Amino acid sequence: MKSYTLDEAEDLLIGKKGTEERDEYEFELKLELIGDMIKTARKKRKLTQEQLGELVGVKKAQISRLENSTGNVTFETVMRIFNALGAKLNLNLQM
């Protein structure tokens, strides 16, 4: 049985870095992480999706789609949500 490093397994199963398949996978993963962060912060503040939507000015359905990574999201909306939750978002750009 052949052993693989994590990098080799990712390349085989997801696609090599820089390919469209890999970029799409990593983008979807980041959206899922953002959704999880929103859901965790919302629950910590003891808010329903409807209450958070009212604070942000969007419908409950949009909050649900964000938390479940099933809809398109703008950066502006994500920022408004984190602001409404009193959460701090740090961005790190590496080049």
Side-chain angles (χ1 to χ4, degrees), residues 18-88:
T19 63
E20 188 174 331
E21 294 166 316
R22 181 69 169 263
D23 290 345
E24 185 175 325
Y25 170 81
E26 290 180 357
F27 178 76
E28 294 293 327
L29 181 59
K30 289 173 186 167
L31 285 180
E32 191 170 320
L33 291 172
I34 289 170
D36 288 345
M37 287 187 281
I38 290 170
K39 187 175 190 174
T40 299
R42 176 181 62 77
K43 287 184 173 189
K44 187 174 183 179
R45 300 290 189 265
K46 297 180 177 18
L47 295 171
T48 66
Q49 290 178 339
E50 188 170 354
Q51 290 169 326
L52 179 56
E54 288 172 6
L55 289 172
V56 177
V58 299
K59 294 183 180 183
K60 173 193 176 287
Q62 186 169 356
I63 300 297
S64 177
R65 284 193 303 268
L66 282 169
E67 289 184 355
N68 294 298
S69 306
T70 58
N72 292 333
V73 60
T74 65
F75 186 71
E76 179 185 358
T77 301
V78 171
M79 292 301 298
R80 288 184 9 225
I81 289 170
F82 284 125
N83 284 334
L85 290 168
K88 186 175 182 180

